[in-house]
Short mmCIF file of all heavy atoms in Angstrom, two decimals:
data_model
loop_
_atom_site.label_atom_id
_atom_site.label_comp_id
_atom_site.label_asym_id
_atom_site.label_seq_id
_atom_site.Cartn_x
_atom_site.Cartn_y
_atom_site.Cartn_z
N THR B 161 -93.47 51.77 143.85
CA THR B 161 -93.25 50.99 145.10
C THR B 161 -93.71 49.57 144.87
O THR B 161 -94.78 49.35 144.27
CB THR B 161 -94.05 51.58 146.28
OG1 THR B 161 -93.63 52.93 146.47
CG2 THR B 161 -93.86 50.76 147.53
N GLN B 162 -92.94 48.64 145.38
CA GLN B 162 -93.31 47.22 145.29
C GLN B 162 -94.39 46.95 146.38
O GLN B 162 -94.11 47.12 147.55
CB GLN B 162 -92.13 46.30 145.48
CG GLN B 162 -92.47 44.86 145.21
CD GLN B 162 -91.27 43.95 145.50
OE1 GLN B 162 -91.08 43.40 146.56
NE2 GLN B 162 -90.40 43.78 144.49
N ARG B 163 -95.53 46.51 145.97
CA ARG B 163 -96.61 46.31 146.91
C ARG B 163 -96.80 44.82 147.28
O ARG B 163 -97.23 44.54 148.40
CB ARG B 163 -97.96 46.81 146.35
CG ARG B 163 -98.07 48.27 146.23
CD ARG B 163 -99.54 48.76 146.24
NE ARG B 163 -100.35 48.25 145.15
CZ ARG B 163 -101.61 48.62 144.92
NH1 ARG B 163 -102.16 49.47 145.74
NH2 ARG B 163 -102.30 48.12 143.90
N ASN B 164 -96.55 43.97 146.37
CA ASN B 164 -96.68 42.54 146.60
C ASN B 164 -95.53 41.81 145.98
O ASN B 164 -94.98 42.26 144.95
CB ASN B 164 -97.98 41.99 145.97
CG ASN B 164 -99.21 42.45 146.69
OD1 ASN B 164 -99.48 42.12 147.81
ND2 ASN B 164 -99.97 43.30 146.04
N LYS B 165 -95.19 40.71 146.58
CA LYS B 165 -94.08 39.89 146.08
C LYS B 165 -94.44 38.44 146.18
O LYS B 165 -94.96 37.96 147.19
CB LYS B 165 -92.80 40.17 146.81
CG LYS B 165 -91.57 39.56 146.19
CD LYS B 165 -90.32 39.96 146.96
CE LYS B 165 -89.01 39.62 146.20
NZ LYS B 165 -88.94 38.25 145.78
N GLY B 166 -94.19 37.68 145.09
CA GLY B 166 -94.43 36.27 145.09
C GLY B 166 -93.27 35.56 145.74
O GLY B 166 -92.30 36.11 146.25
N ASN B 167 -93.38 34.21 145.69
CA ASN B 167 -92.35 33.37 146.33
C ASN B 167 -91.21 33.02 145.33
O ASN B 167 -91.09 31.89 144.93
CB ASN B 167 -93.02 32.08 146.85
CG ASN B 167 -92.10 31.28 147.70
OD1 ASN B 167 -91.18 31.84 148.32
ND2 ASN B 167 -92.35 30.00 147.78
N PHE B 168 -90.42 34.02 145.07
CA PHE B 168 -89.28 33.83 144.16
C PHE B 168 -87.98 34.24 144.88
O PHE B 168 -88.04 35.11 145.78
CB PHE B 168 -89.43 34.64 142.91
CG PHE B 168 -90.29 33.97 141.86
CD1 PHE B 168 -91.65 34.03 141.94
CD2 PHE B 168 -89.73 33.30 140.80
CE1 PHE B 168 -92.44 33.41 141.01
CE2 PHE B 168 -90.49 32.63 139.86
CZ PHE B 168 -91.85 32.74 139.92
N PRO B 169 -86.87 33.68 144.54
CA PRO B 169 -85.60 34.04 145.21
C PRO B 169 -85.23 35.52 144.87
O PRO B 169 -85.73 36.11 144.00
CB PRO B 169 -84.57 33.07 144.63
CG PRO B 169 -85.16 32.56 143.35
CD PRO B 169 -86.66 32.63 143.54
N GLY B 170 -84.31 35.99 145.69
CA GLY B 170 -83.84 37.37 145.57
C GLY B 170 -83.16 37.68 144.25
O GLY B 170 -82.94 38.85 143.95
N ARG B 171 -82.84 36.63 143.50
CA ARG B 171 -82.26 36.94 142.14
C ARG B 171 -83.28 37.65 141.22
O ARG B 171 -82.88 38.24 140.26
CB ARG B 171 -81.87 35.60 141.48
CG ARG B 171 -80.89 34.76 142.22
CD ARG B 171 -80.48 33.51 141.43
NE ARG B 171 -81.58 32.60 141.14
CZ ARG B 171 -82.16 32.43 139.96
NH1 ARG B 171 -81.74 33.15 138.96
NH2 ARG B 171 -83.12 31.56 139.83
N PHE B 172 -84.51 37.58 141.59
CA PHE B 172 -85.55 38.22 140.81
C PHE B 172 -85.86 39.59 141.48
O PHE B 172 -86.21 39.60 142.69
CB PHE B 172 -86.80 37.41 140.71
CG PHE B 172 -86.67 36.10 139.94
CD1 PHE B 172 -86.08 34.98 140.49
CD2 PHE B 172 -87.11 36.06 138.63
CE1 PHE B 172 -85.93 33.84 139.72
CE2 PHE B 172 -86.98 34.96 137.87
CZ PHE B 172 -86.39 33.78 138.41
N SER B 173 -85.73 40.62 140.76
CA SER B 173 -86.00 41.92 141.31
C SER B 173 -86.66 42.79 140.27
O SER B 173 -86.67 42.44 139.07
CB SER B 173 -84.73 42.61 141.78
OG SER B 173 -83.80 42.81 140.71
N GLY B 174 -87.19 43.90 140.68
CA GLY B 174 -87.84 44.78 139.73
C GLY B 174 -87.84 46.21 140.21
O GLY B 174 -87.34 46.52 141.29
N ARG B 175 -88.32 47.05 139.36
CA ARG B 175 -88.48 48.47 139.75
C ARG B 175 -89.49 49.11 138.80
O ARG B 175 -89.82 48.58 137.75
CB ARG B 175 -87.17 49.19 139.71
CG ARG B 175 -86.44 49.23 138.38
CD ARG B 175 -85.18 50.04 138.43
NE ARG B 175 -84.43 50.00 137.20
CZ ARG B 175 -83.37 50.83 136.97
NH1 ARG B 175 -83.03 51.75 137.88
NH2 ARG B 175 -82.72 50.76 135.84
N GLN B 176 -89.97 50.24 139.23
CA GLN B 176 -90.91 51.02 138.44
C GLN B 176 -90.47 52.46 138.40
O GLN B 176 -90.05 52.99 139.45
CB GLN B 176 -92.33 50.86 138.96
CG GLN B 176 -93.40 51.53 138.06
CD GLN B 176 -94.78 51.37 138.61
OE1 GLN B 176 -95.00 51.43 139.83
NE2 GLN B 176 -95.79 51.24 137.73
#
Side-chain angles (χ1 to χ4, degrees):
Chain B
T161 301
Q162 188 182 93
R163 290 205 299 185
N164 289 292
K165 189 177 192 307
N167 190 25
F168 277 81
R171 301 185 296 107
F172 291 81
S173 63
R175 60 177 174 169
Q176 186 180 35

